[in-house]
Amino acid sequence: MIEVLSIASEIVPLVKTGGLADVVGALPAALAPFGVRVTTLVPGYPAVIAALADPEVLWSHADYFGGPARLLKGRAAALDLLVLDAGHLYGRPGNPYIGPDGRDWPDNARRFAALSFMAYELGAGLVPTYRPEILHAHDWQTGLVPAYARFNAPTGVKTVLTVHNIAFQGVFGWDVFNALRLDYRAAGEGALEYWGNLSFLKAGLQTADAVTTVSPTYAHEIRTAEYGMGLEGLLRARADSLFGILNGIDTRVWDPGHDPALAVPYGVHALGDRAQNRAALEERFGLEPGEGPLFSVVSRLTWQKGLDLLVPHIDMIVENGGRLVVLGSGDAALEQAFRAAAARHPGKVGVMIGYDEPLSHLVQGGADVMLVPSRFEPCGLTQLYALRYGSIPLVARVGGLADTVIDANAAALDAGAATGIVFSPVTEEALGEALRRGFALYQQPKVWRKMQRRGLKSDVSWDKSARHYADLYATLTGREHHADPND
Ligand code: ADP
Ligand code: GLC
């Protein structure tokens, strides 16, 4: 058994702003069959504290990063959790990163340093009853975990940092340095320094024993200037310990055969039943029924997602008999553009600005096409949910989208391999062409149905990737073998 402490700033089903939470929430169950026990350390946001059943207090201190703190151990939603209960840092409602004024909380450096320092202390033996062998950190919020393990007192613990999105780098002014409790050598050796500031993510990339990211293509892309966002040089230097491990999805939570958010459950042999979910979806979005394809978006509305490239095509979609539903929130200008499209095309375009987990399931189960025209996409989960729910993904050829969807070109259709529509470059023109291909394919119901079935049968589970993580942990801890459920 390998004991892993996973450290993250969000986790499904307790706190979620994006795919990071899905992955962190799914990994423990996915890894258990491989002889890996995962405990997850998360901040004690109000929603997390409220969900903990009968927590045990493992440790407490009157002044931890500026206020009283306790480390709680408990279970919630079948997850083994360690929760850093520190009201002065996390006792705030709403979004985990952003205050009610729409700006980052001003003390984010301290908030996430405190979380990371706790992980390091656990690795160093703070609590006699729990001693992880691996600290597995996720994204910039926990980027300091490997830095503490490297520069503060040595622990013997091994560290892994997973990059879910290199666009978020945790950059702060040097004035925060003293509050971080990071050994001064970290400042001296250039591990933190980033264009005159300091970066949590860079610190982690530089010091982790292994760096992973969430798809093989993204692992290559981030070594290039186009996608590396300034960190490509460092990642090239670390190429030997940089691995792309594709995300899976939790196939119990995302199962069209047993999904309480659907009007009617269905499976690969009853795809006709999707029509009832489509009708339910149309009703939710106030759409008229129609013959043409129902396109969909479930996304953060940000530059990364490329949805500004979709806006100019909405009139064309409607003119061709298509319809569109959009569930998302983000940039005000984009929200406004989609609202305006809905106002122009009542009954044809439906827009919900906001975050609605059950509705996102109904969109997957009812729409015909899931649109993901991202400019960059480390992995992307919505195209995986679409495959599993028989919605055809139409995606940009970048990152994990390129690794998970097989384009319906002539060769792939002949070979019976196509699962979606993939386009490049990521431009308005190429997206328009892809949408037209979507319309054309939809006119061929047999071909369409085959693609749906192939998607539904494709393996989007965690099985393969969990094995890769387990292998990585085994290598880092010097174990030759790990338990393999198939042996
Ligand atoms: P990212 O993490 O970059 O936002 P992913 O595709 O990896 O992209 O994950 C996004 C996750 O967030 C998916 O689970 C998706 O269903 C969900 N999601 C995004 N926007 C919304 C929304 N408005 N309502 C409900 N779920 C959403
Ligand atoms: C990030 C990425 C997304 C990825 C998710 C989970 O939010 O933007 O592509 O799927 O993390 O790894």
Side-chain angles (χ1 to χ4, degrees), residues 12-13 22 26 249-256 258-260 357 361 385 388-389:
V12 153
D22 295 79
I249 64 172
D250 190 329
T251 49
R252 298 161 309 173
V253 176
W254 293 90
D255 176 2
H258 304 88
D259 188 333
E357 190 77 23
H361 286 239
Y385 300 141
R388 176 124 172 100
Y389 278 65

mmCIF file of all heavy atoms in Angstrom, residues 12-13 22 26 249-256 258-260 357 361 385 388-389:
data_model
loop_
_atom_site.group_PDB
_atom_site.id
_atom_site.type_symbol
_atom_site.label_atom_id
_atom_site.label_comp_id
_atom_site.label_asym_id
_atom_site.label_seq_id
_atom_site.Cartn_x
_atom_site.Cartn_y
_atom_site.Cartn_z
ATOM 1 N N VAL A 12 -14.653 17.739 -5.837
ATOM 2 C CA VAL A 12 -16.056 17.319 -6.044
ATOM 3 C C VAL A 12 -16.422 16.279 -4.998
ATOM 4 O O VAL A 12 -15.595 15.418 -4.696
ATOM 5 C CB VAL A 12 -16.210 16.738 -7.473
ATOM 6 C CG1 VAL A 12 -17.349 15.733 -7.578
ATOM 7 C CG2 VAL A 12 -16.409 17.856 -8.490
ATOM 8 N N PRO A 13 -17.570 16.281 -4.401
ATOM 9 C CA PRO A 13 -18.713 17.169 -4.655
ATOM 10 C C PRO A 13 -18.813 18.348 -3.679
ATOM 11 O O PRO A 13 -19.868 18.952 -3.587
ATOM 12 C CB PRO A 13 -19.897 16.216 -4.455
ATOM 13 C CG PRO A 13 -19.445 15.324 -3.339
ATOM 14 C CD PRO A 13 -17.949 15.170 -3.488
ATOM 15 N N ASP A 22 -13.208 17.880 -10.259
ATOM 16 C CA ASP A 22 -13.650 16.555 -10.701
ATOM 17 C C ASP A 22 -12.507 15.553 -10.559
ATOM 18 O O ASP A 22 -12.691 14.428 -10.087
ATOM 19 C CB ASP A 22 -14.075 16.569 -12.172
ATOM 20 C CG ASP A 22 -15.297 17.427 -12.446
ATOM 21 O OD1 ASP A 22 -15.146 18.657 -12.524
ATOM 22 O OD2 ASP A 22 -16.387 16.890 -12.583
ATOM 23 N N ALA A 26 -12.155 12.332 -8.004
ATOM 24 C CA ALA A 26 -12.245 10.982 -8.584
ATOM 25 C C ALA A 26 -10.999 10.140 -8.315
ATOM 26 O O ALA A 26 -11.069 8.911 -8.283
ATOM 27 C CB ALA A 26 -12.472 11.090 -10.097
ATOM 28 N N ILE A 249 -12.795 10.147 -16.313
ATOM 29 C CA ILE A 249 -13.953 10.731 -15.634
ATOM 30 C C ILE A 249 -14.508 9.701 -14.655
ATOM 31 O O ILE A 249 -14.255 8.502 -14.793
ATOM 32 C CB ILE A 249 -15.059 11.179 -16.616
ATOM 33 C CG1 ILE A 249 -15.661 9.988 -17.367
ATOM 34 C CG2 ILE A 249 -14.509 12.222 -17.575
ATOM 35 C CD1 ILE A 249 -16.877 10.358 -18.200
ATOM 36 N N ASP A 250 -15.244 10.197 -13.686
ATOM 37 C CA ASP A 250 -15.870 9.304 -12.719
ATOM 38 C C ASP A 250 -17.114 8.711 -13.382
ATOM 39 O O ASP A 250 -18.154 9.370 -13.482
ATOM 40 C CB ASP A 250 -16.221 10.082 -11.450
ATOM 41 C CG ASP A 250 -16.646 9.159 -10.323
ATOM 42 O OD1 ASP A 250 -17.229 8.092 -10.624
ATOM 43 O OD2 ASP A 250 -16.401 9.498 -9.158
ATOM 44 N N THR A 251 -16.987 7.471 -13.827
ATOM 45 C CA THR A 251 -18.075 6.871 -14.611
ATOM 46 C C THR A 251 -19.260 6.444 -13.741
ATOM 47 O O THR A 251 -20.273 5.996 -14.258
ATOM 48 C CB THR A 251 -17.556 5.656 -15.408
ATOM 49 O OG1 THR A 251 -16.820 4.815 -14.510
ATOM 50 C CG2 THR A 251 -16.638 6.100 -16.528
ATOM 51 N N ARG A 252 -19.126 6.611 -12.419
ATOM 52 C CA ARG A 252 -20.305 6.366 -11.572
ATOM 53 C C ARG A 252 -21.149 7.627 -11.494
ATOM 54 O O ARG A 252 -22.367 7.600 -11.517
ATOM 55 C CB ARG A 252 -19.886 5.950 -10.151
ATOM 56 C CG ARG A 252 -19.085 4.647 -10.103
ATOM 57 C CD ARG A 252 -18.342 4.553 -8.795
ATOM 58 N NE ARG A 252 -17.590 5.794 -8.551
ATOM 59 C CZ ARG A 252 -16.948 6.072 -7.431
ATOM 60 N NH1 ARG A 252 -16.968 5.226 -6.426
ATOM 61 N NH2 ARG A 252 -16.291 7.199 -7.304
ATOM 62 N N VAL A 253 -20.464 8.777 -11.390
ATOM 63 C CA VAL A 253 -21.193 10.045 -11.324
ATOM 64 C C VAL A 253 -21.751 10.407 -12.703
ATOM 65 O O VAL A 253 -22.827 10.985 -12.827
ATOM 66 C CB VAL A 253 -20.246 11.165 -10.837
ATOM 67 C CG1 VAL A 253 -20.943 12.513 -10.846
ATOM 68 C CG2 VAL A 253 -19.721 10.853 -9.448
ATOM 69 N N TRP A 254 -20.970 10.068 -13.733
ATOM 70 C CA TRP A 254 -21.373 10.387 -15.106
ATOM 71 C C TRP A 254 -21.753 9.090 -15.813
ATOM 72 O O TRP A 254 -20.943 8.489 -16.521
ATOM 73 C CB TRP A 254 -20.229 11.116 -15.829
ATOM 74 C CG TRP A 254 -19.970 12.469 -15.237
ATOM 75 C CD1 TRP A 254 -19.126 12.779 -14.226
ATOM 76 C CD2 TRP A 254 -20.592 13.706 -15.631
ATOM 77 N NE1 TRP A 254 -19.178 14.133 -13.947
ATOM 78 C CE2 TRP A 254 -20.069 14.729 -14.802
ATOM 79 C CE3 TRP A 254 -21.542 14.065 -16.595
ATOM 80 C CZ2 TRP A 254 -20.457 16.058 -14.907
ATOM 81 C CZ3 TRP A 254 -21.921 15.401 -16.703
ATOM 82 C CH2 TRP A 254 -21.383 16.377 -15.870
ATOM 83 N N ASP A 255 -22.968 8.669 -15.577
ATOM 84 C CA ASP A 255 -23.444 7.400 -16.131
ATOM 85 C C ASP A 255 -24.866 7.601 -16.663
ATOM 86 O O ASP A 255 -25.811 7.721 -15.875
ATOM 87 C CB ASP A 255 -23.430 6.339 -15.016
ATOM 88 C CG ASP A 255 -24.001 5.021 -15.499
ATOM 89 O OD1 ASP A 255 -24.369 4.915 -16.691
ATOM 90 O OD2 ASP A 255 -24.101 4.097 -14.666
ATOM 91 N N PRO A 256 -25.032 7.638 -17.988
ATOM 92 C CA PRO A 256 -26.366 7.916 -18.536
ATOM 93 C C PRO A 256 -27.396 6.856 -18.150
ATOM 94 O O PRO A 256 -28.599 7.102 -18.200
ATOM 95 C CB PRO A 256 -26.144 7.947 -20.050
ATOM 96 C CG PRO A 256 -24.857 7.236 -20.282
ATOM 97 C CD PRO A 256 -24.032 7.421 -19.037
ATOM 98 N N HIS A 258 -27.703 5.673 -15.095
ATOM 99 C CA HIS A 258 -28.155 5.942 -13.718
ATOM 100 C C HIS A 258 -27.837 7.379 -13.373
ATOM 101 O O HIS A 258 -26.959 7.641 -12.556
ATOM 102 C CB HIS A 258 -27.441 5.037 -12.707
ATOM 103 C CG HIS A 258 -27.591 3.586 -12.988
ATOM 104 N ND1 HIS A 258 -26.734 2.897 -13.804
ATOM 105 C CD2 HIS A 258 -28.519 2.700 -12.579
ATOM 106 C CE1 HIS A 258 -27.130 1.636 -13.875
ATOM 107 N NE2 HIS A 258 -28.206 1.491 -13.142
ATOM 108 N N ASP A 259 -28.501 8.292 -14.014
ATOM 109 C CA ASP A 259 -28.202 9.696 -13.744
ATOM 110 C C ASP A 259 -29.486 10.398 -13.330
ATOM 111 O O ASP A 259 -30.378 10.625 -14.142
ATOM 112 C CB ASP A 259 -27.601 10.351 -15.004
ATOM 113 C CG ASP A 259 -27.099 11.755 -14.736
ATOM 114 O OD1 ASP A 259 -27.628 12.418 -13.815
ATOM 115 O OD2 ASP A 259 -26.178 12.206 -15.447
ATOM 116 N N PRO A 260 -29.568 10.750 -12.039
ATOM 117 C CA PRO A 260 -30.810 11.350 -11.545
ATOM 118 C C PRO A 260 -31.136 12.691 -12.200
ATOM 119 O O PRO A 260 -32.283 13.161 -12.113
ATOM 120 C CB PRO A 260 -30.541 11.542 -10.046
ATOM 121 C CG PRO A 260 -29.070 11.436 -9.870
ATOM 122 C CD PRO A 260 -28.546 10.606 -11.001
ATOM 123 N N GLU A 357 -24.824 22.302 -11.734
ATOM 124 C CA GLU A 357 -24.274 20.951 -11.943
ATOM 125 C C GLU A 357 -25.311 19.986 -12.552
ATOM 126 O O GLU A 357 -25.036 19.365 -13.578
ATOM 127 C CB GLU A 357 -23.718 20.442 -10.614
ATOM 128 C CG GLU A 357 -22.897 19.176 -10.688
ATOM 129 C CD GLU A 357 -21.474 19.380 -11.226
ATOM 130 O OE1 GLU A 357 -20.931 20.500 -11.150
ATOM 131 O OE2 GLU A 357 -20.918 18.406 -11.749
ATOM 132 N N HIS A 361 -25.532 17.968 -16.560
ATOM 133 C CA HIS A 361 -25.758 16.563 -16.920
ATOM 134 C C HIS A 361 -26.858 16.444 -17.974
ATOM 135 O O HIS A 361 -26.746 15.671 -18.928
ATOM 136 C CB HIS A 361 -26.167 15.758 -15.676
ATOM 137 C CG HIS A 361 -25.041 15.472 -14.728
ATOM 138 N ND1 HIS A 361 -24.661 14.201 -14.367
ATOM 139 C CD2 HIS A 361 -24.190 16.304 -14.064
ATOM 140 C CE1 HIS A 361 -23.649 14.256 -13.517
ATOM 141 N NE2 HIS A 361 -23.350 15.528 -13.314
ATOM 142 N N TYR A 385 -17.389 13.717 -21.069
ATOM 143 C CA TYR A 385 -18.775 13.491 -20.655
ATOM 144 C C TYR A 385 -19.652 13.321 -21.889
ATOM 145 O O TYR A 385 -20.546 12.464 -21.922
ATOM 146 C CB TYR A 385 -19.293 14.662 -19.802
ATOM 147 C CG TYR A 385 -18.494 14.896 -18.525
ATOM 148 C CD1 TYR A 385 -18.221 16.180 -18.078
ATOM 149 C CD2 TYR A 385 -18.022 13.824 -17.775
ATOM 150 C CE1 TYR A 385 -17.495 16.399 -16.917
ATOM 151 C CE2 TYR A 385 -17.290 14.036 -16.624
ATOM 152 C CZ TYR A 385 -17.024 15.324 -16.197
ATOM 153 O OH TYR A 385 -16.296 15.539 -15.056
ATOM 154 N N ARG A 388 -19.404 9.904 -23.373
ATOM 155 C CA ARG A 388 -20.093 8.923 -22.527
ATOM 156 C C ARG A 388 -21.610 9.039 -22.610
ATOM 157 O O ARG A 388 -22.330 8.101 -22.305
ATOM 158 C CB ARG A 388 -19.631 9.124 -21.081
ATOM 159 C CG ARG A 388 -20.310 8.261 -20.057
ATOM 160 C CD ARG A 388 -19.321 7.465 -19.255
ATOM 161 N NE ARG A 388 -19.926 6.771 -18.137
ATOM 162 C CZ ARG A 388 -20.243 5.489 -18.129
ATOM 163 N NH1 ARG A 388 -20.031 4.752 -19.210
ATOM 164 N NH2 ARG A 388 -20.772 4.927 -17.055
ATOM 165 N N TYR A 389 -22.087 10.237 -23.016
ATOM 166 C CA TYR A 389 -23.536 10.468 -23.049
ATOM 167 C C TYR A 389 -24.094 10.468 -24.476
ATOM 168 O O TYR A 389 -25.250 10.816 -24.695
ATOM 169 C CB TYR A 389 -23.875 11.797 -22.345
ATOM 170 C CG TYR A 389 -23.959 11.658 -20.832
ATOM 171 C CD1 TYR A 389 -22.839 11.337 -20.076
ATOM 172 C CD2 TYR A 389 -25.163 11.822 -20.156
ATOM 173 C CE1 TYR A 389 -22.907 11.198 -18.696
ATOM 174 C CE2 TYR A 389 -25.243 11.686 -18.776
ATOM 175 C CZ TYR A 389 -24.112 11.370 -18.052
ATOM 176 O OH TYR A 389 -24.193 11.230 -16.690
#
